[in-house]
Amino acid sequence: MSDVTIYHNPRCSKSRQTLQLLEEQGINPDIVLYLETPPDRDTLKAIISKLGIPIRELLRTGEQEYKDNTLKNPALDDEALLDAMVRWPKLIQRPIVVKGNNARIGRPPEAVLEIL
């Protein structure tokens, strides 16, 4: 088991580039195909805490689920947004790399180098 985890979508170019970057650094990360094995609510909360960002920054606003469920509504609290990401994991930004108590979104892929 690696001390680095990537929440990965192989169909996403940024996710593939980030995984390749990790491998070029000699890192063989644990790969979580988060669309097939979505993080549970507690894991998602821990990731957001490690990212150190507001929960809304983890949402993919271009997804149909975002639009259909009016997730842009500022009255929605963090718990409602968490519920949405657990229910529709494709709403979660990708890729996310976690190492210890730190995490980064790989947009751009080089952003993950800050925590390695």
Side-chain angles (χ1 to χ4, degrees), residues 19-37:
L19 179 57
Q20 180 180 351
L21 182 63
L22 292 173
E23 291 169 343
E24 288 169 358
Q25 299 292 316
I27 296 167
N28 186 20
D30 290 329
I31 299 171
V32 176
L33 300 175
Y34 73 94
L35 293 178
E36 296 173 18
T37 312

Side-chain angles (χ1 to χ4, degrees), residues 9-19 94-95 107 109:
N9 177 352
R11 295 182 61 201
C12 170
S13 63
K14 294 290 185 213
S15 201
R16 290 192 308 270
Q17 290 167 12
T18 301
L19 179 57
R94 61 183 179 251
R107 292 183 173 273

Side-chain angles (χ1 to χ4, degrees), residues 3-69:
D3 68 336
V4 176
T5 300
I6 181 171
Y7 289 84
H8 180 56
N9 177 352
R11 295 182 61 201
C12 170
S13 63
K14 294 290 185 213
S15 201
R16 290 192 308 270
Q17 290 167 12
T18 301
L19 179 57
Q20 180 180 351
L21 182 63
L22 292 173
E23 291 169 343
E24 288 169 358
Q25 299 292 316
I27 296 167
N28 186 20
D30 290 329
I31 299 171
V32 176
L33 300 175
Y34 73 94
L35 293 178
E36 296 173 18
T37 312
D40 63 25
R41 183 182 191 81
D42 290 340
T43 301
L44 199 50
K45 280 177 115 168
I47 290 170
I48 293 164
S49 175
K50 291 174 184 185
L51 285 166
I53 62 173
I55 193 167
R56 283 193 176 276
E57 288 185 24
L58 195 59
L59 283 168
R60 293 177 54 82
T61 59
E63 297 295 339
Q64 196 61 47
E65 289 81 357
Y66 182 86
K67 297 169 187 159
D68 289 349
N69 294 283

